[in-house]
Amino acid sequence: APNVHVVAGNCESDGSSASMSFPATRVVQVGNFRIGLIHGHQVIPWGDHQALASVRRKLNVDILVSGHTHQNEVVEHDGCYHINPGSVTGAFSPTQGNVIPSFILLAVQGSTVVCYVYELINDEVEVSKTEFSKDNL
């Protein structure tokens, strides 16, 4: 599918010849935004915004989407955004005591992004949103 972009996680390879091979990073252009994708296990310390900013600058992107911590967040950092969708299943994380199932939907129109965060809390779906524009980055 042309609109599905995948990067390798930390458990993608089982060593067999049948295991799929995905890139460690991917950069896509959506509207006026360059969006970088990484799994996040390669950023030390995990989830650290200074380390994420280094990757973001290396990829030359406006928005960096990363994971690995299983903790969702949308953070403005140095005039750009770091987005972590969390874990849609609420899978265990060694760094988080209570993982809340979550995912993030980015709605991009030209130079504006609306970031919707969906969380499953006490069997109820809660949605929050953050909006930003290229003019503000």
Side-chain angles (χ1 to χ4, degrees):
N3 291 323
V4 175
H5 305 282
V6 179
V7 293
N10 59 308
C11 297
E12 302 306 322
S13 177
D14 63 4
S16 73
S17 60
S19 65
M20 300 187 80
S21 176
F22 298 113
T25 64
R26 166 91 76 192
V27 175
V28 296
Q29 182 79 35
V30 181
N32 294 341
F33 293 90
R34 285 178 51 86
I35 301 173
L37 308 170
I38 63 170
H39 176 257
H41 66 282
Q42 58 275 75
V43 175
I44 305 295
W46 298 334
D48 178 77
H49 291 287
Q50 294 291 5
L52 289 166
S54 177
V55 172
R56 180 181 40 76
R57 287 188 299 270
K58 181 179 177 184
L59 296 176
N60 190 30
V61 295
D62 305 300
I63 300 168
L64 181 65
V65 179
S66 68
H68 190 64
T69 63
H70 297 193
Q71 177 66 44
N72 77 68
E73 63 181 350
V74 178
V75 174
E76 186 272 330
H77 187 270
D78 289 340
C80 295
Y81 277 82
H82 299 162
I83 297 175
N84 186 327
S87 169
V88 73
T89 63
F92 169 78
S93 169
T95 63
Q96 301 296 322
N98 181 29
V99 178
I100 296 170
S102 64
F103 69 92
I104 291 178
L105 172 71
L106 295 178
V108 179
Q109 248 186 346
S111 62
T112 301
V113 173
V114 180
C115 184
Y116 297 94
V117 178
Y118 293 80
E119 296 177 299
L120 183 62
I121 300 174
N122 298 322
D123 295 326
E124 296 288 328
V125 176
E126 293 188 15
V127 182
S128 60
K129 76 175 188 175
T130 302
E131 184 171 340
F132 50 95
S133 67
K134 183 83 171 193
D135 301 333
N136 296 342
L137 294 182

